[in-house]
Amino acid sequence: MTAKLLQLIWAFMQVGITAFGGGLSTLPLIEYQLVIKNGWMTAEQFNQMVAISQVTPGPVAINAATFAGYQQAGFLGALFSTLALICAPIAALSLILFALKRVSPERSKAFKLMLRPVVAGLLTLSIFSPLTSTLRNGVAAAALFAAGLALIKYCRFFKEYPAAMLIIFGIFGTVFLS
């Protein structure tokens, strides 16, 4: 149990420290830790966890850390995973802020500009995992995507009430693509 807690803490400390941009930009980092590196869940389970994290209150990364920690080590796993995700970047940012206050404004600005492409790359990566998982279902997913585009373009009801389309397509996807 202690080894598993240490693995969870280390995994989510790495996510917290290296996740620039927040929100969806953290998904590739979380997926790497949970699916690829540690094998704690499959890609499909990860995508389901992301979907659940999107509809529950709170940031996606915190919801994912809490869920994965609980799944791996119960209440203590959830607690330590969440704390590692939150406390590690606070400590790292405090050190960076301390350092940035001691360098010239030009160097500080250059550092901040350097982070922009990193955030853009992480956001781009966050699109690929759910997309590739969905495309494994082939023709049905493509048909669902095409139907959604057509409804958005041509159906006045769905233009006015996009939430209705999300509910209908969520049910359809659950029934036919799961």
Side-chain angles (χ1 to χ4, degrees), residues 67-119:
F67 178 81
Y70 186 80
Q71 184 185 40
Q72 293 301 310
F75 175 77
L76 286 177
L79 178 67
F80 286 119
S81 296
T82 305
L83 287 174
L85 182 76
I86 296 168
C87 294
I90 289 173
L93 288 175
S94 296
L95 289 172
I96 291 170
L97 181 62
F98 179 79
L100 286 177
K101 285 187 173 186
R102 280 145 183 73
V103 298
S104 67
E106 295 82 26
R107 291 186 114 179
S108 177
K109 185 177 180 180
F111 175 76
K112 292 172 189 172
L113 289 173
M114 249 180 11
L115 293 179
R116 286 184 181 174
V118 172
V119 172

Side-chain angles (χ1 to χ4, degrees), residues 6 66 105:
L6 291 174
T66 305

Side-chain angles (χ1 to χ4, degrees), residues 1-14:
M1 180 68 141
T2 305
K4 183 65 77 173
L5 287 175
L6 291 174
Q7 286 178 317
L8 286 165
I9 290 168
W10 180 242
F12 283 102
M13 280 177 62
Q14 290 176 51

Side-chain angles (χ1 to χ4, degrees), residues 123-174:
L123 286 171
T124 303
L125 279 175
S126 70
I127 294 170
F128 287 109
S129 178
L131 185 61
T132 55
S133 177
T134 302
L135 291 179
R136 286 186 197 129
N137 293 318
V139 176
L144 188 62
F145 181 71
L149 289 178
L151 286 173
I152 289 171
K153 183 164 176 83
Y154 298 113
C155 185
R156 186 172 153 218
F157 176 78
F158 289 119
K159 282 183 184 178
E160 293 178 17
Y161 304 102
M165 187 170 78
L166 289 174
I167 292 168
I168 291 168
F169 275 64
I171 292 168
F172 185 85
T174 302

Side-chain angles (χ1 to χ4, degrees), residues 31 34-35 39-48 71 136:
E31 181 180 28
L34 299 180
V35 178
W40 291 330
M41 55 180 64
T42 66
E44 186 63 33
Q45 289 171 325
F46 176 78
N47 288 329
Q48 290 172 357
Q71 184 185 40
R136 286 186 197 129

